[in-house]
Structure formats: structure tokens, C-alpha cells
């Protein structure tokens, strides 16, 4: 079993939220901080940079859960993305077959 940490990044004084999960929160936050300091094209990083950088980020640990399979942690992450209406997540962490079919209808 592997312990996963589920977290939110809030940009202070905005309505921006990013939800993620990781096996190592310390490493993941260091990566987020690095990518938000350079010209990385991901929405989360450009938005952080445009709103004062890492000093304007509040980190919230949502949950810590053990899973045998990464897929199960991704399903839970997607639940939290939906629950918090995380507007900086541009891709699903996990998509059901129904989600994939609906996405194809949009294209």
C-alpha cells in the first residue's frame, strides 16, 4: 500500500484552486514552486506567476489515504477536483469510459 496526500493550492485573494495528489508532498510542492517561477505554459503555473507568485499560495492538505493501485488514487483525486470545483486543473486525473465518450461528443 502507498500513502497518497491530496491537497489544494489556493491563490490568496482570488477564486483560483488547484487540486492534486502525490506520494511526496514536499517534492511536489518544490516542483510546483519551480515551475511557477519559470515560463511553464500550464494554466496553474501561469496563473500563480500572474498573481504574485508562490508567496501568494496557501496549501491545504485535504486527505491522506493509502491505496494499492495508483488508479484508485487518481479516481479519488478526480472526486476532489470536482468537489472543490478546481478551476486550475485543465485535465482530468481520471476519466471513466462514460467521461471519455462524452468528451468525444464535444470534439
Amino acid at each position: 500500500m502507498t500513502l497518497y496526500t491530496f491537497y489544494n493550492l489556493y491563490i490568496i485573494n482570488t477564486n483560483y484552486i488547484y487540486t492534486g495528489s502525490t506520494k511526496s508532498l514536499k517534492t511536489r510542492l518544490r516542483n510546483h514552486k519551480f515551475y511557477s517561477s519559470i515560463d511553464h505554459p500550464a494554466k496553474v503555473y501561469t496563473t500563480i506567476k500572474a498573481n504574485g507568485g508562490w508567496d501568494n499560495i496557501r496549501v491545504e492538505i485535504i486527505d491522506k489515504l493509502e491505496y494499492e493501485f495508483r488508479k484508485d488514487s487518481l479516481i479519488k483525486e478526480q472526486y476532489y477536483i470536482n468537489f472543490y470545483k478546481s478551476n486550475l486543473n485543465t485535465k482530468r486525473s481520471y476519466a471513466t469510459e462514460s467521461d471519455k465518450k462524452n468528451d468525444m461528443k464535444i470534439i
Side-chain angles (χ1 to χ4, degrees):
M1 299 288 272
T2 302
L3 180 65
Y4 292 91
T5 301
F6 299 86
Y7 64 93
N8 280 336
L9 300 180
Y10 295 95
I11 300 178
I12 298 169
N13 296 324
T14 73
N15 65 346
Y16 292 116
I17 303 170
Y18 175 85
T19 300
S21 67
T22 184
K23 294 186 272 186
S24 172
L25 185 60
K26 182 179 178 179
T27 299
R28 188 66 179 120
L29 292 178
R30 185 173 52 236
N31 289 340
H32 281 311
K33 189 174 183 177
F34 171 74
Y35 288 124
S36 64
S37 72
I38 64 171
D39 289 330
H40 193 285
K43 182 179 180 181
V44 63
Y45 303 126
T46 59
T47 305
I48 289 171
K49 194 171 185 177
N51 286 277
W54 197 254
D55 290 338
N56 285 331
I57 296 297
R58 181 172 62 86
V59 179
E60 175 188 47
I61 295 174
I62 302 167
D63 212 345
K64 292 184 177 187
L65 299 168
E66 287 187 323
Y67 291 103
E68 184 175 354
F69 302 106
R70 177 72 175 142
K71 173 185 169 186
D72 295 327
S73 73
L74 294 175
I75 291 169
K76 188 66 167 184
E77 180 181 337
Q78 188 60 52
Y79 165 80
Y80 284 129
I81 290 168
N82 296 342
F83 181 81
Y84 287 100
K85 298 179 174 76
S86 303
N87 51 10
L88 292 178
N89 293 79
T90 56
K91 297 180 183 176
R92 294 181 184 178
S93 63
Y94 180 80
T96 64
E97 289 304 316
S98 175
D99 292 334
K100 292 174 187 174
K101 287 178 185 174
N102 287 335
D103 289 348
M104 291 303 291
K105 290 178 187 175
I106 295 170
I107 297 172

